Amino acid sequence: MPPAIGATIPDLERPATGDQTIKLSDYRGKQLVLYFYPKASTPGCTQEGQDFRDATDAFAEANTLILGASRDGIKAQENFKAKQGFPFDLISDKDESLCQAFDVIKLKKMYGKESLGIERSTFLIDAEGVLQREWRHVKVKGHVDEVLSAARELAGR
Protein backbone atom coordinates (compact mmCIF):
# COMPACT_ATOMS: atom_id res chain seq x y z
CA MET A 1 0.00 0.00 0.00
CA PRO A 2 1.54 3.33 -1.02
CA PRO A 3 2.01 6.07 1.55
CA ALA A 4 -1.04 8.32 1.89
CA ILE A 5 -0.85 12.09 1.88
CA GLY A 6 0.16 13.03 5.43
CA ALA A 7 1.95 9.73 6.09
CA THR A 8 5.67 9.21 6.62
CA ILE A 9 7.29 7.72 3.53
CA PRO A 10 8.99 4.30 3.62
CA ASP A 11 12.71 4.50 4.34
CA LEU A 12 14.15 2.13 1.77
CA GLU A 13 17.83 1.88 0.95
CA ARG A 14 18.67 1.91 -2.80
CA PRO A 15 21.77 2.17 -5.00
CA ALA A 16 22.19 5.55 -6.67
CA THR A 17 24.53 7.39 -8.99
CA GLY A 18 27.86 8.51 -7.60
CA ASP A 19 28.60 5.00 -6.29
CA GLN A 20 26.39 5.49 -3.26
CA THR A 21 23.60 3.79 -1.42
CA ILE A 22 20.97 6.20 -0.19
CA LYS A 23 18.02 6.08 2.16
CA LEU A 24 15.16 8.53 1.82
CA SER A 25 15.72 9.52 5.47
CA ASP A 26 19.14 10.87 4.41
CA TYR A 27 17.23 13.87 3.03
CA ARG A 28 15.40 14.87 6.23
CA GLY A 29 15.71 18.57 6.93
CA LYS A 30 15.04 19.41 3.29
CA GLN A 31 11.98 18.92 1.13
CA LEU A 32 12.38 16.21 -1.46
CA VAL A 33 10.95 15.71 -4.92
CA LEU A 34 11.06 12.02 -5.81
CA TYR A 35 10.12 11.46 -9.42
CA PHE A 36 9.71 8.10 -11.13
CA TYR A 37 10.25 7.77 -14.87
CA PRO A 38 9.83 4.74 -17.15
CA LYS A 39 13.24 4.45 -18.84
CA ALA A 40 16.50 6.38 -18.91
CA SER A 41 17.48 8.13 -22.15
CA THR A 42 14.03 7.90 -23.79
CA PRO A 43 12.54 11.14 -25.17
CA GLY A 44 9.88 11.83 -22.51
CA CYS A 45 12.15 10.86 -19.64
CA THR A 46 14.99 12.95 -21.04
CA GLN A 47 12.70 15.99 -21.35
CA GLU A 48 11.36 15.54 -17.83
CA GLY A 49 14.88 15.21 -16.41
CA GLN A 50 16.05 18.28 -18.34
CA ASP A 51 13.09 20.27 -16.98
CA PHE A 52 14.01 19.27 -13.41
CA ARG A 53 17.68 20.00 -14.15
CA ASP A 54 16.86 23.46 -15.47
CA ALA A 55 14.80 24.24 -12.36
CA THR A 56 17.28 22.86 -9.80
CA ASP A 57 18.30 26.30 -8.52
CA ALA A 58 14.66 27.36 -8.12
CA PHE A 59 13.96 24.15 -6.18
CA ALA A 60 17.03 24.80 -4.00
CA GLU A 61 15.65 28.25 -3.16
CA ALA A 62 12.53 26.41 -1.92
CA ASN A 63 14.72 24.14 0.30
CA THR A 64 13.94 21.22 -2.03
CA LEU A 65 16.21 18.50 -3.38
CA ILE A 66 15.43 16.28 -6.38
CA LEU A 67 15.87 12.53 -6.87
CA GLY A 68 14.91 10.57 -9.98
CA ALA A 69 14.17 6.84 -9.96
CA SER A 70 13.58 4.11 -12.52
CA ARG A 71 14.14 0.38 -12.95
CA ASP A 72 17.27 0.99 -15.01
CA GLY A 73 20.58 -0.41 -13.81
CA ILE A 74 23.15 1.83 -12.18
CA LYS A 75 25.31 2.01 -15.34
CA ALA A 76 22.35 3.27 -17.41
CA GLN A 77 21.54 5.79 -14.66
CA GLU A 78 25.15 7.02 -14.52
CA ASN A 79 25.24 7.44 -18.33
CA PHE A 80 21.88 9.24 -18.34
CA LYS A 81 22.95 11.60 -15.55
CA ALA A 82 26.31 12.37 -17.19
CA LYS A 83 24.95 12.86 -20.71
CA GLN A 84 22.18 15.22 -19.53
CA GLY A 85 24.26 17.02 -16.89
CA PHE A 86 21.77 16.30 -14.11
CA PRO A 87 22.93 17.94 -10.85
CA PHE A 88 20.82 15.46 -8.83
CA ASP A 89 21.18 11.74 -8.22
CA LEU A 90 19.26 8.94 -9.93
CA ILE A 91 18.18 5.80 -8.10
CA SER A 92 18.46 2.34 -9.63
CA ASP A 93 15.44 0.31 -8.54
CA LYS A 94 15.98 -2.92 -10.49
CA ASP A 95 14.19 -5.02 -7.86
CA GLU A 96 11.27 -2.56 -7.92
CA SER A 97 11.11 -2.27 -4.12
CA LEU A 98 10.92 1.54 -4.20
CA CYS A 99 8.51 1.44 -7.16
CA GLN A 100 6.28 -1.00 -5.27
CA ALA A 101 6.42 1.11 -2.11
CA PHE A 102 5.05 4.09 -4.05
CA ASP A 103 2.72 1.96 -6.22
CA VAL A 104 4.03 3.23 -9.56
CA ILE A 105 4.22 -0.12 -11.40
CA LYS A 106 1.15 -0.27 -13.63
CA LEU A 107 -0.15 -2.31 -16.54
CA LYS A 108 0.57 -0.28 -19.66
CA LYS A 109 -0.50 -0.74 -23.25
CA MET A 110 1.78 0.19 -26.13
CA TYR A 111 1.19 -0.79 -29.73
CA GLY A 112 -1.50 -3.23 -28.60
CA LYS A 113 0.83 -5.07 -26.20
CA GLU A 114 0.43 -5.05 -22.44
CA SER A 115 3.37 -4.91 -20.06
CA LEU A 116 4.14 -3.80 -16.55
CA GLY A 117 6.07 -0.55 -16.33
CA ILE A 118 6.54 2.61 -14.35
CA GLU A 119 3.71 5.10 -14.52
CA ARG A 120 5.40 8.53 -14.60
CA SER A 121 4.77 9.86 -11.08
CA THR A 122 6.15 12.53 -8.76
CA PHE A 123 6.01 12.85 -4.98
CA LEU A 124 6.69 15.92 -2.83
CA ILE A 125 7.95 15.01 0.64
CA ASP A 126 8.37 17.56 3.42
CA ALA A 127 11.48 18.08 5.57
CA GLU A 128 10.16 15.60 8.17
CA GLY A 129 9.73 12.81 5.61
CA VAL A 130 5.95 13.16 5.28
CA LEU A 131 4.28 12.87 1.88
CA GLN A 132 2.56 16.16 1.07
CA ARG A 133 1.64 15.93 -2.62
CA GLU A 134 1.60 13.34 -5.39
CA TRP A 135 1.16 13.51 -9.13
CA ARG A 136 0.35 10.31 -10.99
CA HIS A 137 0.03 9.59 -14.69
CA VAL A 138 2.15 12.69 -15.31
CA LYS A 139 2.31 14.49 -18.63
CA VAL A 140 5.79 16.03 -19.00
CA LYS A 141 4.84 19.42 -20.44
CA GLY A 142 4.41 21.96 -17.62
CA HIS A 143 4.80 19.33 -14.89
CA VAL A 144 8.00 20.66 -13.32
CA ASP A 145 6.48 24.15 -13.01
CA GLU A 146 3.52 22.67 -11.12
CA VAL A 147 5.82 20.72 -8.77
CA LEU A 148 8.00 23.80 -8.19
CA SER A 149 4.93 25.87 -7.32
CA ALA A 150 3.88 23.23 -4.76
CA ALA A 151 7.42 23.05 -3.33
CA ARG A 152 7.49 26.83 -2.90
CA GLU A 153 4.08 26.79 -1.25
CA LEU A 154 5.17 24.03 1.14
CA ALA A 155 8.42 25.84 2.00
CA GLY A 156 6.48 29.02 2.78
CA ARG A 157 4.22 27.45 5.40
Side-chain angles (χ1 to χ4, degrees):
M1 183 117 164
I5 301 295
T8 301
I9 60 162
D11 192 24
L12 298 173
E13 193 172 271
R14 303 302 313 134
T17 50
D19 196 29
Q20 59 186 333
T21 300
I22 60 171
K23 290 193 316 196
L24 296 180
S25 63
D26 295 342
Y27 298 89
R28 296 268 163 84
K30 294 218 181 265
Q31 294 178 173
L32 178 65
V33 167
L34 175 61
Y35 79 98
F36 290 86
Y37 55 93
K39 189 157 179 54
S41 301
T42 56
C45 299
T46 298
Q47 185 62 60
E48 183 180 27
Q50 289 171 340
D51 291 350
F52 275 115
R53 175 197 66 201
D54 295 347
T56 298
D57 290 343
F59 276 101
E61 289 169 13
N63 192 38
T64 305
L65 298 172
I66 301 165
L67 280 177
S70 75
R71 300 183 301 177
D72 294 291
I74 200 69
K75 187 172 180 357
Q77 298 291 48
E78 291 284 6
N79 291 342
F80 189 35
K81 179 181 175 178
K83 185 173 182 181
Q84 299 305 325
F86 295 155
F88 48 83
D89 287 309
L90 301 177
I91 296 170
S92 172
D93 192 37
K94 283 184 81 96
D95 75 358
E96 300 179 0
S97 59
L98 190 62
C99 290
Q100 297 289 349
F102 282 86
D103 192 31
V104 298
I105 301 291
K106 302 292 180 186
L107 188 61
K108 300 166 93 175
K109 278 188 181 175
M110 191 183 294
Y111 309 117
K113 289 181 70 175
E114 290 185 342
S115 64
L116 287 175
I118 292 180
E119 177 182 69
R120 193 179 307 280
S121 305
T122 303
F123 301 88
L124 178 59
I125 300 152
D126 72 16
E128 285 77 49
V130 174
L131 180 62
Q132 295 295 330
R133 291 280 306 270
E134 65 179 22
W135 294 263
R136 293 182 179 272
H137 201 68
V138 166
K139 300 290 183 233
V140 173
K141 189 171 175 57
H143 175 62
V144 169
D145 293 334
E146 191 178 332
V147 176
L148 178 58
S149 176
R152 285 175 169 152
E153 186 180 313
L154 185 59
R157 291 207 265 183

Tab-separated table of all heavy atoms in Angstrom, residues 121-153:
chain	number	residue	atom	x	y	z
A	121	SER	N	5.375	9.354	-12.313
A	121	SER	CA	4.769	9.860	-11.079
A	121	SER	C	5.789	10.694	-10.315
A	121	SER	O	6.988	10.439	-10.383
A	121	SER	CB	4.331	8.701	-10.175
A	121	SER	OG	3.467	7.822	-10.853
A	122	THR	N	5.290	11.664	-9.557
A	122	THR	CA	6.148	12.531	-8.757
A	122	THR	C	5.538	12.688	-7.366
A	122	THR	O	4.324	12.796	-7.225
A	122	THR	CB	6.285	13.922	-9.422
A	122	THR	OG1	6.803	13.759	-10.745
A	122	THR	CG2	7.217	14.830	-8.634
A	123	PHE	N	6.431	12.727	-6.367
A	123	PHE	CA	6.011	12.847	-4.975
A	123	PHE	C	6.784	13.983	-4.319
A	123	PHE	O	8.001	14.086	-4.492
A	123	PHE	CB	6.274	11.530	-4.233
A	123	PHE	CG	5.534	10.377	-4.857
A	123	PHE	CD1	6.097	9.649	-5.895
A	123	PHE	CD2	4.248	10.055	-4.438
A	123	PHE	CE1	5.401	8.610	-6.506
A	123	PHE	CE2	3.549	9.017	-5.040
A	123	PHE	CZ	4.122	8.298	-6.075
A	124	LEU	N	6.080	14.825	-3.574
A	124	LEU	CA	6.694	15.919	-2.826
A	124	LEU	C	6.623	15.562	-1.347
A	124	LEU	O	5.535	15.374	-0.794
A	124	LEU	CB	5.971	17.239	-3.113
A	124	LEU	CG	6.477	18.468	-2.349
A	124	LEU	CD1	7.956	18.743	-2.630
A	124	LEU	CD2	5.632	19.692	-2.686
A	125	ILE	N	7.798	15.470	-0.735
A	125	ILE	CA	7.949	15.014	0.645
A	125	ILE	C	8.501	16.176	1.466
A	125	ILE	O	9.445	16.852	1.022
A	125	ILE	CB	8.913	13.804	0.672
A	125	ILE	CG1	8.318	12.674	-0.192
A	125	ILE	CG2	9.179	13.341	2.095
A	125	ILE	CD1	9.339	11.752	-0.804
A	126	ASP	N	7.915	16.419	2.618
A	126	ASP	CA	8.374	17.561	3.416
A	126	ASP	C	9.658	17.222	4.175
A	126	ASP	O	10.172	16.093	4.109
A	126	ASP	CB	7.259	18.097	4.324
A	126	ASP	CG	6.903	17.196	5.499
A	126	ASP	OD1	7.684	16.275	5.846
A	126	ASP	OD2	5.818	17.412	6.078
A	127	ALA	N	10.185	18.213	4.894
A	127	ALA	CA	11.477	18.079	5.573
A	127	ALA	C	11.460	17.047	6.699
A	127	ALA	O	12.517	16.602	7.150
A	127	ALA	CB	11.921	19.445	6.116
A	128	GLU	N	10.269	16.633	7.132
A	128	GLU	CA	10.156	15.602	8.175
A	128	GLU	C	9.934	14.213	7.591
A	128	GLU	O	9.727	13.256	8.331
A	128	GLU	CB	9.016	15.937	9.150
A	128	GLU	CG	9.350	17.051	10.126
A	128	GLU	CD	9.276	18.427	9.476
A	128	GLU	OE1	8.269	18.716	8.810
A	128	GLU	OE2	10.236	19.204	9.624
A	129	GLY	N	9.919	14.108	6.252
A	129	GLY	CA	9.733	12.809	5.613
A	129	GLY	C	8.281	12.422	5.433
A	129	GLY	O	7.959	11.239	5.283
A	130	VAL	N	7.392	13.410	5.416
A	130	VAL	CA	5.952	13.162	5.279
A	130	VAL	C	5.516	13.526	3.857
A	130	VAL	O	5.857	14.600	3.343
A	130	VAL	CB	5.155	13.985	6.324
A	130	VAL	CG1	3.652	13.854	6.099
A	130	VAL	CG2	5.538	13.548	7.735
A	131	LEU	N	4.779	12.625	3.228
A	131	LEU	CA	4.280	12.867	1.880
A	131	LEU	C	3.227	13.974	1.907
A	131	LEU	O	2.241	13.874	2.633
A	131	LEU	CB	3.680	11.578	1.305
A	131	LEU	CG	3.116	11.671	-0.112
A	131	LEU	CD1	4.204	12.039	-1.111
A	131	LEU	CD2	2.465	10.352	-0.504
A	132	GLN	N	3.473	15.020	1.105
A	132	GLN	CA	2.560	16.155	1.073
A	132	GLN	C	1.743	16.244	-0.212
A	132	GLN	O	0.611	16.687	-0.198
A	132	GLN	CB	3.333	17.463	1.279
A	132	GLN	CG	3.962	17.574	2.643
A	132	GLN	CD	2.934	17.639	3.764
A	132	GLN	OE1	1.829	18.124	3.598
A	132	GLN	NE2	3.302	17.112	4.928
A	133	ARG	N	2.343	15.859	-1.334
A	133	ARG	CA	1.636	15.925	-2.620
A	133	ARG	C	2.093	14.768	-3.492
A	133	ARG	O	3.224	14.285	-3.364
A	133	ARG	CB	1.988	17.221	-3.377
A	133	ARG	CG	1.491	18.509	-2.799
A	133	ARG	CD	0.029	18.829	-3.084
A	133	ARG	NE	-0.370	18.808	-4.472
A	133	ARG	CZ	-0.339	19.840	-5.308
A	133	ARG	NH1	0.102	21.004	-4.895
A	133	ARG	NH2	-0.758	19.710	-6.547
A	134	GLU	N	1.211	14.343	-4.404
A	134	GLU	CA	1.598	13.342	-5.387
A	134	GLU	C	0.944	13.680	-6.718
A	134	GLU	O	-0.148	14.242	-6.766
A	134	GLU	CB	1.228	11.926	-4.934
A	134	GLU	CG	-0.252	11.670	-4.811
A	134	GLU	CD	-0.569	10.240	-4.391
A	134	GLU	OE1	0.286	9.555	-3.802
A	134	GLU	OE2	-1.696	9.801	-4.673
A	135	TRP	N	1.661	13.361	-7.763
A	135	TRP	CA	1.164	13.510	-9.127
A	135	TRP	C	1.355	12.159	-9.798
A	135	TRP	O	2.460	11.629	-9.837
A	135	TRP	CB	1.958	14.565	-9.899
A	135	TRP	CG	1.828	15.957	-9.395
A	135	TRP	CD1	0.995	16.926	-9.864
A	135	TRP	CD2	2.572	16.574	-8.330
A	135	TRP	NE1	1.172	18.095	-9.165
A	135	TRP	CE2	2.132	17.904	-8.215
A	135	TRP	CE3	3.567	16.120	-7.460
A	135	TRP	CZ2	2.646	18.798	-7.287
A	135	TRP	CZ3	4.081	17.000	-6.526
A	135	TRP	CH2	3.617	18.321	-6.443
A	136	ARG	N	0.280	11.605	-10.318
A	136	ARG	CA	0.346	10.308	-10.987
A	136	ARG	C	-0.086	10.462	-12.437
A	136	ARG	O	-0.795	11.402	-12.782
A	136	ARG	CB	-0.525	9.290	-10.261
A	136	ARG	CG	0.023	8.971	-8.861
A	136	ARG	CD	-0.807	7.914	-8.155
A	136	ARG	NE	-0.258	7.618	-6.853
A	136	ARG	CZ	0.687	6.706	-6.611
A	136	ARG	NH1	1.206	5.999	-7.583
A	136	ARG	NH2	1.121	6.505	-5.385
A	137	HIS	N	0.352	9.550	-13.261
A	137	HIS	CA	0.031	9.589	-14.689
A	137	HIS	C	0.408	10.961	-15.264
A	137	HIS	O	-0.390	11.644	-15.898
A	137	HIS	CB	-1.453	9.259	-14.923
A	137	HIS	CG	-1.714	8.797	-16.315
A	137	HIS	ND1	-1.251	7.597	-16.788
A	137	HIS	CD2	-2.353	9.395	-17.340
A	137	HIS	CE1	-1.618	7.469	-18.056
A	137	HIS	NE2	-2.283	8.543	-18.413
A	138	VAL	N	1.648	11.350	-14.976
A	138	VAL	CA	2.154	12.685	-15.305
A	138	VAL	C	2.340	12.864	-16.807
A	138	VAL	O	2.845	11.978	-17.491
A	138	VAL	CB	3.507	12.906	-14.575
A	138	VAL	CG1	4.265	14.094	-15.121
A	138	VAL	CG2	3.280	13.036	-13.080
A	139	LYS	N	1.960	14.026	-17.280
A	139	LYS	CA	2.314	14.495	-18.631
A	139	LYS	C	3.486	15.450	-18.435
A	139	LYS	O	3.445	16.341	-17.575
A	139	LYS	CB	1.140	15.237	-19.282
A	139	LYS	CG	-0.113	14.391	-19.427
A	139	LYS	CD	0.060	13.311	-20.469
A	139	LYS	CE	-1.197	12.498	-20.669
A	139	LYS	NZ	-0.992	11.066	-20.545
A	140	VAL	N	4.543	15.299	-19.220
A	140	VAL	CA	5.788	16.027	-19.001
A	140	VAL	C	5.618	17.544	-19.140
A	140	VAL	O	6.104	18.306	-18.303
A	140	VAL	CB	6.892	15.500	-19.950
A	140	VAL	CG1	8.145	16.356	-19.848
A	140	VAL	CG2	7.219	14.044	-19.623
A	141	LYS	N	4.940	17.982	-20.165
A	141	LYS	CA	4.841	19.422	-20.444
A	141	LYS	C	4.191	20.172	-19.277
A	141	LYS	O	3.072	19.874	-18.872
A	141	LYS	CB	4.046	19.643	-21.726
A	141	LYS	CG	4.075	21.072	-22.226
A	141	LYS	CD	3.443	21.163	-23.606
A	141	LYS	CE	3.316	22.561	-24.125
A	141	LYS	NZ	4.533	23.304	-24.212
A	142	GLY	N	4.926	21.125	-18.710
A	142	GLY	CA	4.412	21.957	-17.625
A	142	GLY	C	4.454	21.317	-16.246
A	142	GLY	O	4.165	21.978	-15.244
A	143	HIS	N	4.835	20.047	-16.172
A	143	HIS	CA	4.799	19.334	-14.890
A	143	HIS	C	5.764	19.927	-13.862
A	143	HIS	O	5.387	20.156	-12.704
A	143	HIS	CB	5.090	17.849	-15.107
A	143	HIS	CG	5.183	17.066	-13.838
A	143	HIS	ND1	4.119	16.946	-12.968
A	143	HIS	CD2	6.204	16.389	-13.266
A	143	HIS	CE1	4.492	16.217	-11.919
A	143	HIS	NE2	5.745	15.874	-12.088
A	144	VAL	N	6.995	20.177	-14.262
A	144	VAL	CA	7.999	20.663	-13.315
A	144	VAL	C	7.576	22.005	-12.718
A	144	VAL	O	7.756	22.241	-11.519
A	144	VAL	CB	9.394	20.721	-13.968
A	144	VAL	CG1	10.383	21.470	-13.101
A	144	VAL	CG2	9.901	19.296	-14.224
A	145	ASP	N	6.957	22.862	-13.515
A	145	ASP	CA	6.475	24.148	-13.007
A	145	ASP	C	5.429	23.941	-11.906
A	145	ASP	O	5.425	24.647	-10.897
A	145	ASP	CB	5.869	24.990	-14.136
A	145	ASP	CG	6.921	25.426	-15.145
A	145	ASP	OD1	8.110	25.524	-14.773
A	145	ASP	OD2	6.551	25.663	-16.310
A	146	GLU	N	4.557	22.966	-12.102
A	146	GLU	CA	3.524	22.668	-11.118
A	146	GLU	C	4.147	22.142	-9.819
A	146	GLU	O	3.759	22.548	-8.717
A	146	GLU	CB	2.556	21.632	-11.705
A	146	GLU	CG	1.305	21.427	-10.894
A	146	GLU	CD	0.352	20.425	-11.533
A	146	GLU	OE1	0.355	20.272	-12.773
A	146	GLU	OE2	-0.402	19.790	-10.772
A	147	VAL	N	5.142	21.262	-9.951
A	147	VAL	CA	5.815	20.716	-8.771
A	147	VAL	C	6.579	21.823	-8.040
A	147	VAL	O	6.546	21.906	-6.805
A	147	VAL	CB	6.755	19.549	-9.162
A	147	VAL	CG1	7.531	19.042	-7.948
A	147	VAL	CG2	5.969	18.411	-9.801
A	148	LEU	N	7.247	22.696	-8.790
A	148	LEU	CA	7.997	23.798	-8.194
A	148	LEU	C	7.056	24.729	-7.425
A	148	LEU	O	7.372	25.166	-6.315
A	148	LEU	CB	8.761	24.574	-9.271
A	148	LEU	CG	9.545	25.790	-8.779
A	148	LEU	CD1	10.568	25.409	-7.699
A	148	LEU	CD2	10.247	26.474	-9.956
A	149	SER	N	5.927	25.016	-7.987
A	149	SER	CA	4.930	25.875	-7.316
A	149	SER	C	4.502	25.247	-5.981
A	149	SER	O	4.423	25.934	-4.952
A	149	SER	CB	3.731	26.073	-8.238
A	149	SER	OG	2.727	26.796	-7.596
A	150	ALA	N	4.264	23.934	-5.985
A	150	ALA	CA	3.876	23.229	-4.761
A	150	ALA	C	5.017	23.228	-3.743
A	150	ALA	O	4.791	23.380	-2.531
A	150	ALA	CB	3.441	21.808	-5.092
A	151	ALA	N	6.252	23.057	-4.222
A	151	ALA	CA	7.424	23.051	-3.326
A	151	ALA	C	7.593	24.431	-2.672
A	151	ALA	O	7.883	24.530	-1.476
A	151	ALA	CB	8.684	22.663	-4.083
A	152	ARG	N	7.391	25.476	-3.456
A	152	ARG	CA	7.492	26.832	-2.904
A	152	ARG	C	6.402	27.073	-1.860
A	152	ARG	O	6.652	27.659	-0.802
A	152	ARG	CB	7.372	27.858	-4.031
A	152	ARG	CG	8.621	27.955	-4.880
A	152	ARG	CD	8.400	28.899	-6.056
A	152	ARG	NE	9.663	29.194	-6.725
A	152	ARG	CZ	9.733	29.509	-8.016
A	152	ARG	NH1	8.630	29.577	-8.766
A	152	ARG	NH2	10.903	29.767	-8.565
A	153	GLU	N	5.208	26.633	-2.174
A	153	GLU	CA	4.083	26.793	-1.247
A	153	GLU	C	4.365	26.059	0.066
A	153	GLU	O	4.158	26.598	1.146
A	153	GLU	CB	2.817	26.250	-1.915
A	153	GLU	CG	1.550	26.487	-1.141
A	153	GLU	CD	0.344	25.913	-1.877
A	153	GLU	OE1	0.218	26.150	-3.095
A	153	GLU	OE2	-0.452	25.210	-1.219
